Amino acid sequence: MKLLGIWIVTLFVKLCFSVNSGSQPNIILILADDMGYGDLASYGHPTQEFGPIDEIAQLGLRFTQAYSADSVCSPSRASLLTGRLPIRTGAWGNDFRVWLTNCSRGLPHWEITIAEALKEKGYTTGMVGKWHLGINRYTYNDFTYIPSTQGFDFVGHMIPFGGSYSCEETGRYGNQTQTSCALMYGDEIIQQPYYHENLSIAFVEDALTFIRNSKERPFFFYYAAMHPHIPMFSSRRFKGSSNRGVYGDVINELSWEVQSIVDEVRAQGIEHNTLIVFMSDNGPQLEYCIEGGDPGIFRGGKTNSFEGGYRVPLITYWPGVIEPGVSHEIFSALDLLPTFIDLAGGRLADDREYDGMNNVNALLGKGPSSRDFVMFYNRDVLFAVRFGDYKVHFLTQDDRPVQYFGRLCQPFVYPMTTSYYCDENNVSLECVDYHDPPLIFELLSDPTESFPLDSTLYKELLDDIETLIEQHEETIIRAPPLMDDVLNNTYPCCNPLTNCICNWP
Ligand SMILES: *[C@@H]1O[C@H](CO)[C@@H](O)[C@H](O)[C@H]1NC(C)=O
Ligand SMILES: *[C@@H]1O[C@H](CO)[C@@H](O)[C@H](O)[C@H]1NC(C)=O
Ligand SMILES: *[C@@H]1O[C@H](CO)[C@@H](O)[C@H](O)[C@H]1NC(C)=O
Ligand SMILES: *[C@@H]1O[C@H](CO)[C@@H](O)[C@H](O)[C@H]1NC(C)=O
Ligand SMILES: *[C@@H]1O[C@H](CO)[C@@H](O)[C@H](O)[C@H]1NC(C)=O
């Protein structure tokens, strides 16, 4: 009886503590858009200015073997927020690789996002910036798939889709197509088409307000920056700030955005209870030449299953918990959800398969990675697998946008009429190279994937990988492609009577 009493008291104390004991850290996830592995000074860029983001990299943990979950925006973000590959969630398409502005689908509500999972553990949740996980289902303003329907309590300034040259207001690339260019605040369109110049300032102001207002409960904030995705823009303070040109200006502004968030966390005195994670959603968009980013020494970029498409900067910062240093542990964006849930004292849902792993030791620099493989998908097709330090390619795409590099980079033209990667918007995988036997690279001695190994000497490795793939495939319940359903009236529109032009800033 006495024992039972003690047990009940212990249970009671545990329950109370798990609701809010201060042991659940705040989590801030800052996602860069299309930043390449080699874009930051701290990652070796020779002309990019060393900025606040690089200082944070020195005070925190800088990863050399971090991977995005996919090589393009929408599937990568869907996987990052759910811990599940696109083939399971439907975040893929035969005709398109991202959710277009007239798509009538989005990330299914059955999926559990990081925001939903952490809310369950008592977290306050918020986001700003780029969403790109769907918007409308039937008409121009039903907003079926916006962030507030996916677990975010607070949504500040938010762009439902990715940046696009067709939204650029300077006229440099022609007239705007306003239907692609909605700026929302919460559940409403407040400006259409939007003005780029001060968007990052608006995102930062919202983030700081959220942090100040959310100190009472543990919080999760998703800062989905628009930088350094095209089109290149920055507020006046950063124009001309970089030796590297306009792309460098954009990185400098992004660096300021990160600094502002870190400074606010310090000002609120919560830095010892706040994990800040900075990551990119995929590799750089090489076809934009000097307005595209830099994959460092890696081969390929955005859309590509070579390392340049997936290997991204990852920096974690949590003073007193994370020791400053460099981590060579493998970490995937898929691991963020299980890892955050672990930090919040929660458990993964047991009614579905996850591709992400609880990788808390690697993320905090406390131990080895729980992950020894990475899957490289393009849509629903498995192109390559990393297993240990080897990477095996069954299919490859052009690693460089050859059609582009064969021509002059300047002057830049819009709209682009060529698909720079042959399989972009092209379901037939005709332009893809099949490898049988597969191409094998050892990534530590050959990170650039330049020197294939003799496959006859790696039979055991290939067998192991075949087993790994078989086990993986057995767990897959394929979701239908959700990016192909386009309707011409699901473009977001603030007001059809004004031809979708509005401005209520
Ligand atoms: C831009 O809009 C103006 C005014 O509607 C029109 O005259 C012009 O042809 C357009 N330019 C392009 C490149 O579409
Ligand atoms: C951006 O902010 C500056 C300074 O407040 C202002 O002068 C400028 O007009 C703003 N730009 C836009 C497009 O609103
Ligand atoms: C798909 O790519 C192949 C090879 O580049 C090309 O011949 C074909 O025309 C493309 N199909 C479409 C629909 O773009
Ligand atoms: C798309 O719009 C056109 C006219 O703008 C209309 O004729 C057509 O029926 C629409 N299609 C769908 C699928 O709504
Ligand atoms: C949807 O948008 C794409 C890209 O802007 C366009 O090519 C297509 O015609 C649109 N489809 C419909 C049905 O509106």
Side-chain angles (χ1 to χ4, degrees):
M1 201 59 213
K2 198 174 164 199
L3 273 179
L4 183 66
I6 290 172
W7 183 81
I8 287 171
V9 168
T10 315
L11 182 70
F12 180 71
V13 169
K14 270 195 177 154
L15 284 175
C16 290
F17 271 75
S18 71
V19 172
N20 185 11
S21 61
S23 66
Q24 290 176 304
N26 305 312
I27 298 171
I28 300 176
L29 172 60
I30 305 172
L31 193 65
D33 195 358
D34 291 359
M35 176 186 272
Y37 184 86
D39 269 330
L40 294 174
S42 49
Y43 276 85
H45 196 281
T47 54
Q48 181 65 52
E49 287 72 22
F50 185 94
I53 199 170
D54 304 298
E55 283 168 30
I56 290 152
Q58 288 183 335
L59 297 172
L61 198 54
R62 182 174 68 79
F63 287 75
T64 62
Q65 302 211 70
Y67 288 94
S68 57
D70 197 278
S71 60
V72 285
C73 302
S74 296
S76 156
R77 284 153 198 262
S79 296
L80 175 150
L81 284 178
T82 62
R84 284 156 50 80
L85 286 168
I87 192 171
R88 298 187 203 273
T89 62
W92 65 281
N94 285 311
D95 302 335
F96 306 109
R97 288 191 67 181
V98 297
W99 272 298
L100 295 186
T101 50
N102 54 2
C103 192
S104 62
R105 301 280 175 171
L107 180 66
H109 292 110
W110 183 74
E111 295 297 331
I112 302 170
T113 65
I114 295 175
E116 286 166 325
L118 295 182
K119 236 162 109 81
E120 185 110 321
K121 298 306 296 176
Y123 277 62
T124 301
T125 60
M127 70 91 61
V128 290
K130 167 173 164 175
W131 180 238
H132 217 174
L133 297 175
I135 180 163
N136 292 318
R137 177 71 184 93
Y138 299 108
T139 186
Y140 65 91
N141 65 351
D142 58 61
F143 300 137
T144 301
Y145 297 108
I146 58 178
S148 62
T149 71
Q150 303 279 15
F152 290 96
D153 300 320
F154 166 79
V155 182
H157 288 83
M158 185 270 288
I159 306 290
F161 300 96
S164 158
Y165 281 115
S166 65
C167 298
E168 230 274 349
E169 69 267 28
T170 63
R172 223 175 17 141
Y173 308 106
N175 292 332
Q176 288 175 312
T177 323
Q178 70 267 20
T179 43
S180 316
C181 316
L183 173 64
M184 302 187 74
Y185 187 93
D187 292 357
E188 271 184 298
I189 296 176
I190 59 166
Q191 196 175 57
Q192 192 172 11
Y194 54 77
Y195 297 104
H196 288 77
E197 187 175 22
N198 300 325
L199 277 176
S200 293
I201 296 175
F203 298 154
V204 165
E205 282 173 359
D206 293 340
L208 304 193
T209 305
F210 176 86
I211 293 167
R212 276 195 290 273
N213 292 343
S214 306
K215 285 195 309 174
E216 302 308 312
R217 274 162 72 191
F219 66 78
F220 168 64
F221 195 73
Y222 175 43
Y223 188 94
M226 282 182 76
H227 289 332
H229 195 286
I230 55 101
M232 294 299 128
F233 68 91
S234 70
S235 61
R236 283 172 200 186
R237 182 173 160 197
F238 295 98
K239 282 189 187 128
S241 68
S242 179
N243 288 318
R244 190 181 170 187
V246 64
Y247 193 91
D249 293 350
V250 166
I251 297 285
N252 286 341
E253 181 161 67
L254 177 59
S255 198
W256 165 80
E257 294 170 59
V258 174
Q259 176 188 33
S260 306
I261 290 168
V262 172
D263 284 350
E264 188 63 34
V265 165
R266 289 174 180 153
Q268 296 300 324
I270 53 174
E271 73 267 37
H272 295 290
N273 195 32
T274 303
L275 166 64
I276 300 178
V277 175
F278 174 89
M279 198 172 193
S280 177
D281 67 339
N282 48 246
Q285 197 155 9
L286 295 178
E287 71 269 28
Y288 291 120
C289 201
I290 56 173
E291 295 196 5
D294 191 334
I297 67 167
F298 297 114
R299 185 171 173 180
K302 181 174 182 176
T303 79
N304 200 285
S305 53
F306 283 109
E307 291 288 291
Y310 276 76
R311 189 89 71 107
V312 289
L314 167 65
I315 296 163
T316 59
Y317 173 74
W318 185 354
V321 175
I322 294 177
E323 296 287 324
V326 176
S327 170
H328 303 297
E329 297 301 326
I330 300 179
F331 192 92
S332 165
L334 288 160
D335 302 339
L336 290 173
L337 173 129
T339 301
F340 290 170
I341 290 181
D342 180 69
L343 286 168
R347 287 178 33 213
L348 287 177
D350 54 15
D351 62 348
R352 64 198 70 205
E353 290 286 337
Y354 285 93
D355 299 286
M357 297 171 186
N358 180 358
N359 210 348
V360 68
N361 288 333
L363 195 71
L364 304 184
K366 303 293 182 208
S369 177
S370 17
R371 172 179 285 286
D372 64 357
F373 70 89
V374 180
M375 302 276 176
F376 299 80
Y377 273 87
N378 174 341
R379 301 190 171 88
D380 62 333
V381 182
L382 184 63
F383 271 47
V385 175
R386 175 178 178 160
F387 185 56
D389 295 327
Y390 292 92
K391 185 161 165 195
V392 170
H393 294 266
F394 306 101
L395 294 160
T396 53
Q397 305 136 274
D398 290 335
D399 59 332
R400 317 194 89 202
V402 280
Q403 305 95 317
Y404 190 76
F405 279 97
R407 300 201 311 254
L408 287 177
C409 279
Q410 300 281 358
F412 193 75
V413 283
Y414 179 84
M416 293 191 298
T417 47
T418 326
S419 180
Y420 291 99
Y421 298 93
C422 70
D423 74 328
E424 196 176 40
N425 302 342
N426 187 340
V427 65
S428 82
L429 296 170
E430 293 161 50
C431 57
V432 165
D433 293 321
Y434 289 78
H435 303 282
D436 185 18
L439 281 181
I440 308 173
F441 299 103
E442 204 278 339
L443 289 175
L444 299 190
S445 56
D446 180 21
T448 59
E449 301 172 278
S450 302
F451 308 105
L453 300 170
D454 178 353
S455 62
T456 60
L457 304 177
Y458 290 89
K459 290 223 154 28
E460 210 176 309
L461 173 76
L462 293 177
D463 285 347
D464 289 348
I465 290 180
E466 200 181 297
T467 308
L468 178 74
I469 294 172
E470 276 167 16
Q471 287 169 355
H472 167 70
E473 282 173 350
E474 272 169 23
T475 71
I476 290 177
I477 300 171
R478 287 172 64 92
L482 295 177
M483 289 173 183
D484 296 337
D485 297 340
V486 282
L487 286 178
N488 58 1
N489 56 354
T490 47
Y491 290 108
C493 181
C494 57
N495 183 355
L497 299 177
T498 62
N499 201 20
C500 309
I501 296 172
C502 302
N503 192 11
W504 306 299

